[in-house]
Amino acid sequence: KDFRNEGMDKTHNPEFTCMEIYVAYKDYIWMMEIVEKMLEKISLTVNGTTKVKIGEQEVEFKAPYRRLPILDAIKEYAGVDITGMGIDELRETCKKLHVEIEPSMGVGKLIDAIFGEYCEKHLIQPTFITDYPVEMSPLTKRHRDNPNLTERFELFVCGHELANAYSELNDPIDQLERFEEQAALKSNGDDEAMFIDYDFVRSLEYGMPPTSGLGMGIDRLTMYMTNQSTIQDVLFFP
């Protein structure tokens, strides 16, 4: 059970059930394959078919799912290429796109705001949004081909996030630098930025194998598989 004080609507409940798994010596590509096989099996078991009615949509849970890097998604749906943009350029782009922003927002939050405004609503069929910029993913290993990106995916279905996964960051030096960047954002007024967790950094110094980790919202998955319109209808004690 998790609790996040982030408000409440048809698809969010502050207290929710989350499945977390960590697998040593695997990466986010392996985790994508596991997730799509798992959801295909769940869909068949619950509904007898991989095609599931969710509201007005028919969603196909048969693997494989589309894999779309987040910067490509923004290019596709917002019509702008934000690759390599700094904070000032991103602020200007948000203004042009009429995306609401706060003065405390850093690069990661600005990219997330554009993505949320322009992309999420189009992601009806299961889609892995991948390769998030480093600024959006303080606990994630850098991408093997591009150090400005990370090995992370979020799975979107019907315009909402269903799962979040990484190749976990296991380099203590890189992790401390990321925490320091988060602390700077926090001091600038970002309430959601992380603090410096020195215990965690020290643990990484002792050693952590390459690992893939996943978090999946079980209540929202239950909503989808049983075609319920509100999350309160699938909670045992709403």
Side-chain angles (χ1 to χ4, degrees):
K1 285 287 182 185
D2 282 6
F3 183 87
R4 291 183 193 161
N5 193 15
E6 294 175 354
M8 193 174 188
D9 61 27
K10 282 188 172 186
T11 63
H12 292 84
N13 198 68
E15 184 179 17
F16 60 99
T17 312
C18 183
M19 179 187 76
E20 286 201 15
I21 62 173
Y22 293 85
V23 187
Y25 305 109
K26 301 296 183 186
D27 61 14
Y28 80 136
I29 295 169
W30 179 89
M31 191 66 83
M32 276 188 255
E33 292 168 359
I34 287 294
V35 166
E36 61 193 6
K37 285 177 192 168
M38 179 172 64
L39 293 184
E40 181 180 323
K41 181 172 174 55
I42 290 169
S43 179
L44 280 167
T45 303
V46 174
N47 294 297
T49 174
T50 57
K51 289 189 171 75
V52 177
K53 189 92 159 98
I54 302 176
E56 300 301 309
Q57 307 288 345
E58 185 177 74
V59 176
E60 174 60 89
F61 280 102
K62 186 172 176 59
Y65 305 157
R66 186 184 187 195
R67 302 180 184 191
L68 180 62
I70 189 170
L71 299 181
D72 291 349
I74 289 171
K75 197 187 297 184
E76 181 176 328
Y77 295 116
V80 293
D81 186 356
I82 62 168
T83 307
M85 279 190 184
I87 191 164
D88 294 331
E89 283 178 289
L90 281 168
R91 285 187 187 285
E92 199 55 44
T93 301
C94 287
K95 282 181 190 169
K96 285 178 186 169
L97 294 173
H98 307 290
V99 174
E100 285 186 32
I101 56 174
E102 301 287 336
S104 63
M105 285 181 168
V107 168
K109 282 282 183 71
L110 294 169
I111 295 171
D112 195 40
I114 297 170
F115 176 77
E117 185 71 30
Y118 279 88
C119 304
E120 288 185 8
K121 61 191 173 193
H122 297 289
L123 305 174
I124 303 302
Q125 298 303 318
T127 305
F128 291 118
I129 298 296
T130 67
D131 303 345
Y132 285 64
V134 170
E135 294 87 353
M136 299 180 76
S137 311
L139 299 171
T140 311
K141 188 186 281 285
R142 289 179 191 268
H143 197 282
R144 64 199 71 184
D145 298 323
N146 184 343
N148 296 316
L149 303 177
T150 60
E151 297 199 347
R152 174 186 176 189
F153 73 77
E154 287 184 297
L155 174 64
F156 283 84
V157 179
C158 285
H160 292 285
E161 176 204 342
L162 185 59
N164 185 21
Y166 318 145
S167 298
E168 300 287 334
L169 177 54
N170 61 342
D171 178 339
I173 297 170
D174 193 357
Q175 184 63 82
L176 181 57
E177 288 171 359
R178 306 266 198 103
F179 278 147
E180 287 168 345
E181 288 163 7
Q182 287 286 301
L185 288 171
K186 189 174 270 296
S187 66
N188 198 36
D190 184 345
D191 292 337
E192 293 181 1
M194 301 179 77
F195 62 93
I196 301 178
D197 189 339
Y198 290 106
D199 288 338
F200 184 60
V201 173
R202 190 168 71 250
S203 299
L204 293 184
E205 288 172 349
Y206 290 127
M208 174 180 171
T211 300
S212 182
L214 166 81
M216 179 178 287
I218 297 301
D219 307 307
R220 190 171 291 168
L221 176 62
T222 306
M223 272 182 71
Y224 286 161
M225 291 297 172
T226 58
N227 193 17
Q228 300 298 320
S229 59
T230 66
I231 200 165
Q232 281 75 25
D233 289 336
V234 303
L235 300 173
F236 286 135
F237 304 103

